Amino acid sequence: MTTKTLIIPAAGAGSRMQKEIPKPFIELGDCTILEQTIRRFLSLEGLQQVVVATSESFLGRGRDILDEVIPPQMQGLCITGGETRQESIYNALQKVSAIDLVMVHDAVRPFVKLQHIQNCCNAAEQYGGAVLGVPAKDTIKRIDDQQEIKETPSRQYLWQTQTPQVFQKDLLVWAYQKAMEDGFTGTDDSSLVERLNETVKMVEGDRSNFKITYPLDLELAELLIKESE
Ligand code: C5P
């Protein structure tokens, strides 16, 4: 059985949500979005540690949530995040205890399915890295600064990337180290590994694993939670 650490970046300000409180700490159903998200992983075989990165002022709240949700045989840690998602995860990586796999999952994707997490872990064991995603349903355009369309890449090869993004621990540590050294900032973890020319596999998930980003996403999340209760 492989040992696994789950890293949850939850240190974003959530400005697109137009709320005072950061998104992971908004209530959804009977608890916060962060707690809903962590619950999805708890029955995963081999999970031994959960590391959550929050802003300084939410460390206490993060720790309370971990105390509430993490079973005694598992370690729950809450640490201070950074200016960017990448820095938050870099800080969390310094605390990882698992030796095999590290999963990174956005705090604000509370509808991920256990089977999809498992599929992603299996692929990461085999290939080094694996991320969950879905085929792009819209035609995607590349534009310039004037918002003129420059290219229409074939949709056949375009996928929307979600999380979890799962990697063998040494590979992810190396990728983060190298990105920091080179001053490279990516918007996901996979891009840091891809630039080392290492293989990352795309694993098909589903569209219920959306990221709660805009007020409309929160409305949808509330409907889905009500339905499941
Ligand atoms: O901003 P975005 O939607 O890409 O954020 C994705 C995840 O990264 C969220 O869970 C957010 O809380 C987290 N994040 C972070 N540290 C930052 C910025 C974002 O942990 N500085």
Side-chain angles (χ1 to χ4, degrees):
M1 183 188 60
T2 53
T3 57
K4 302 175 184 83
T5 287
L6 167 64
I7 292 178
I8 301 204
S15 47
R16 287 171 291 185
M17 188 58 82
Q18 299 152 16
K19 291 226 183 201
E20 285 298 303
I21 181 166
K23 283 179 291 180
F25 298 95
I26 294 175
E27 296 287 322
L28 178 65
D30 63 353
C31 62
T32 58
I33 294 177
L34 175 60
E35 189 171 335
Q36 293 280 6
T37 301
I38 295 172
R39 282 183 191 167
R40 297 284 167 155
F41 285 81
L42 292 179
S43 47
L44 183 69
E45 212 186 42
L47 180 64
Q48 62 177 42
Q49 187 192 34
V50 178
V51 185
V52 176
T54 69
S55 60
E56 196 86 49
S57 53
F58 277 85
L59 278 177
R61 189 76 188 92
R63 288 189 180 130
D64 288 346
I65 290 171
L66 286 172
D67 284 345
E68 186 92 0
V69 77
I70 298 290
Q73 74 279 11
M74 227 179 258
Q75 186 190 36
L77 278 182
C78 191
I79 57 131
T80 313
E83 284 293 300
T84 60
R85 180 185 185 277
Q86 186 170 318
E87 276 177 40
S88 295
I89 292 161
Y90 181 80
N91 292 353
L93 270 177
Q94 314 308 314
K95 306 283 182 194
V96 168
S97 69
I99 27 182
D100 300 314
L101 293 181
V102 179
M103 305 175 280
V104 182
H105 186 71
D106 293 327
V108 290
R109 292 184 188 271
F111 297 110
V112 65
K113 295 191 172 77
L114 187 64
Q115 185 59 59
H116 291 153
I117 300 170
Q118 190 64 65
N119 294 348
C120 227
C121 288
N122 293 345
E125 256 183 79
Q126 195 180 345
Y127 296 96
V131 304
L132 216 52
V134 287
K137 63 178 175 182
D138 298 315
T139 298
I140 309 282
K141 307 281 186 188
R142 193 174 62 75
I143 59 165
D144 64 11
D145 291 334
Q146 282 71 48
Q147 220 164 298
E148 285 177 18
I149 293 168
K150 289 294 146 195
E151 194 193 348
T152 306
S154 164
R155 210 166 56 188
Q156 190 188 354
Y157 296 110
L158 290 178
W159 282 55
Q160 286 170 245
T161 315
Q162 307 171 337
T163 65
Q165 304 207 343
V166 186
F167 304 90
Q168 290 173 14
K169 180 193 168 181
D170 295 345
L171 176 60
L172 192 63
V173 169
W174 174 36
Y176 267 80
Q177 205 59 51
K178 191 79 173 64
M180 288 305 190
E181 275 167 32
D182 299 346
F184 174 85
T185 304
T187 49
D188 74 347
D189 313 286
S190 179
S191 56
L192 275 51
V193 174
E194 291 158 37
R195 61 194 288 277
L196 305 175
N197 288 323
E198 296 290 321
T199 303
V200 183
K201 190 87 171 162
M202 179 66 82
V203 174
E204 185 157 9
D206 68 29
R207 290 171 205 278
S208 64
N209 185 26
F210 62 93
K211 182 163 72 167
I212 301 178
T213 309
Y214 297 103
L216 187 63
D217 299 321
L218 187 59
E219 282 177 38
L220 177 60
E222 278 162 355
L223 283 175
L224 291 174
I225 283 284
K226 262 202 203 106
E227 209 170 77
S228 70
E229 276 168 0

